[in-house]
């Protein structure tokens, strides 16, 4: 079951627990703390198995007509079970209700880490297309690939 989370403490707890389970993607403490902290003020959806949160995603406005998937995480034990797809679909619906026409996401460019190659393939499967790569946006070892998707009016 997916539900929107409004309370900052609950957002923090969910994000902290899930991102801690994903050190391959969220292994830089300062960066991870930023995701956790910023997500508290953003629209935030969580996927629950009973009362147990197994995934979440947050949405950040980047322009009047565009938003980005700010952070998304699914517990490793629940990967490849369709939870990411369901969360993404719910987030796209939420973005449309907020009037956004475009979604974007930033990730590490394909070909640098196996985990991020999986991430890239996921976003491509969701209909995202490469827009631009910024080789030094984060650091030389993590070139930032930006994907975009038109989600309509």
């Amino acid at each position: 079951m997916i539900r929107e989370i409004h309370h900052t403490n609950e957002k923090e707890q969910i994000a902290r627990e899930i991102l801690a389970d994903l050190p391959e993607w969220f292994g830089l403490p300062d960066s991870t703390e930023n995701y956790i902290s910023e997500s508290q003020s953003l629209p935030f959806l969580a996927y629950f198995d009973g009362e147990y949160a197994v995934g979440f995603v947050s949405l950040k406005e980047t322009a009047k007509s565009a938003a980005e998937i700010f952070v998304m995480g699914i517990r490793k034990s629940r990967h490849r079970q369709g939870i990411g797809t369901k969360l993404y679909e719910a987030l796209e619906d939420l973005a449309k209700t907020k009037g956004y026409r475009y979604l974007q996401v930033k990730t590490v460019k394909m070909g640098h880490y196996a985990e991020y190659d999986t991430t890239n393939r996921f976003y491509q499967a969701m209909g995202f297309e490469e827009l631009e790569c910024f080789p030094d946006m984060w650091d030389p070892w993590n070139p930032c690939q930006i994907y975009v998707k038109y989600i309509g009016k």
Side-chain angles (χ1 to χ4, degrees):
M1 171 179 76
I2 296 174
R3 67 175 216 250
E4 187 169 1
I5 307 300
H6 299 282
H7 299 295
T8 57
N9 291 345
E10 189 175 7
K11 291 178 183 181
E12 178 184 6
Q13 178 184 354
I14 291 168
R16 188 170 300 286
E17 288 178 6
I18 292 172
L19 296 183
D21 186 49
L22 302 167
E24 298 89 336
W25 290 268
F26 300 96
L28 300 173
D30 290 344
S31 177
T32 302
E33 282 302 315
N34 181 62
Y35 284 124
I36 294 166
S37 176
E38 272 203 61
S39 288
Q40 291 177 46
S41 64
L42 301 175
F44 189 106
L45 300 174
Y47 185 98
F48 288 86
D49 184 355
E51 292 299 311
Y52 183 66
V54 297
F56 79 97
V57 62
S58 63
L59 182 70
K60 182 177 182 178
E61 183 174 295
T62 58
K64 183 178 176 184
S65 63
E68 75 172 329
I69 298 172
F70 179 66
V71 62
M72 182 177 193
I74 312 296
R75 292 182 190 272
K76 272 191 282 190
S77 65
R78 301 302 299 269
H79 283 189
R80 313 288 308 157
Q81 297 177 20
I83 294 168
T85 299
K86 290 175 184 167
L87 270 172
Y88 169 74
E89 289 169 348
L91 186 78
E92 184 176 307
D93 289 343
L94 177 64
K96 287 176 182 177
T97 67
K98 293 185 173 294
Y100 299 119
R101 294 181 294 147
Y102 301 93
L103 282 176
Q104 68 169 308
V105 64
K106 297 178 186 95
T107 191
V108 176
K109 184 170 179 61
M110 184 82 84
H112 289 267
Y113 305 99
E115 294 84 7
Y116 282 101
D117 289 354
T118 300
T119 301
N120 279 269
R121 285 190 292 275
F122 170 78
Y123 288 120
Q124 290 168 350
M126 296 299 103
F128 283 84
E129 297 182 37
E130 289 184 8
L131 177 68
E132 189 169 359
C133 180
F134 292 92
D136 298 316
M137 182 177 208
W138 294 322
D139 60 54
W141 303 278
N142 295 296
C144 176
Q145 177 66 58
I146 298 179
Y147 286 95
V148 294
K149 181 178 179 182
Y150 176 71
I151 60 172
K153 292 186 179 190

